[in-house]
Amino acid sequence: MTVTVTLVVGADGSTSKNGNSAGVSNKADRTAFLARRRTADCILIGGTTARVEPYHRTPVPVVVISRSLINPLADNRLAHCWNLSPEKALERAEKTFGPNIHVEAGISIVKE
């Protein structure tokens, strides 16, 4: 399994501005981010990320790990909502979608 992680962090240590990550990244960051995303078999995110970032269209399946039973990306036909730990979600994602998993989650999921 190959896992890549993207976590946007501003110069002041912030991970968001005005509610999402767009305010703490620049064009070069976005270009590199999109290139990494296109090589993934799936994207893994948390519920908060799904609710505040634009994941309504993704180039590959996106897995939302959340305790909520409501899928925040119901309009994305490639979205899956799993109530699993990050470790178990990675294992299931590898079996379901393939070995290249791109994590675009908040720091609590990245730490796990």
Side-chain angles (χ1 to χ4, degrees):
M1 175 185 327
T2 300
V3 178
T4 56
V5 177
T6 296
L7 177 65
V8 177
V9 180
D12 64 356
S14 62
T15 57
S16 68
K17 183 176 180 181
N18 299 324
N20 63 43
S21 64
V24 292
S25 63
N26 59 36
K27 186 175 179 174
D29 293 334
R30 186 99 178 125
T31 299
F33 163 76
L34 291 173
R36 283 190 302 275
R37 178 187 260 196
R38 281 190 289 275
T39 64
D41 294 318
C42 77
I43 300 164
L44 187 130
I45 62 176
T48 301
T49 298
R51 286 185 287 279
V52 300
E53 300 285 351
Y55 283 90
H56 298 285
R57 276 190 12 217
T58 53
V60 296
V62 59
V63 173
V64 180
I65 53 175
S66 177
R67 289 184 205 99
S68 172
L69 297 177
I70 299 169
N71 182 351
L73 300 178
D75 59 341
N76 181 337
R77 64 180 182 78
L78 298 176
H80 304 265
C81 198
W82 299 343
N83 182 359
L84 296 172
S85 69
E87 182 181 1
K88 294 292 183 188
L90 285 171
E91 290 172 7
R92 182 173 171 187
E94 179 183 32
K95 289 177 187 171
T96 306
F97 304 112
N100 298 313
I101 302 164
H102 188 69
V103 178
E104 301 174 5
I107 193 64
S108 62
I109 289 176
V110 170
K111 279 182 176 181
E112 283 192 56

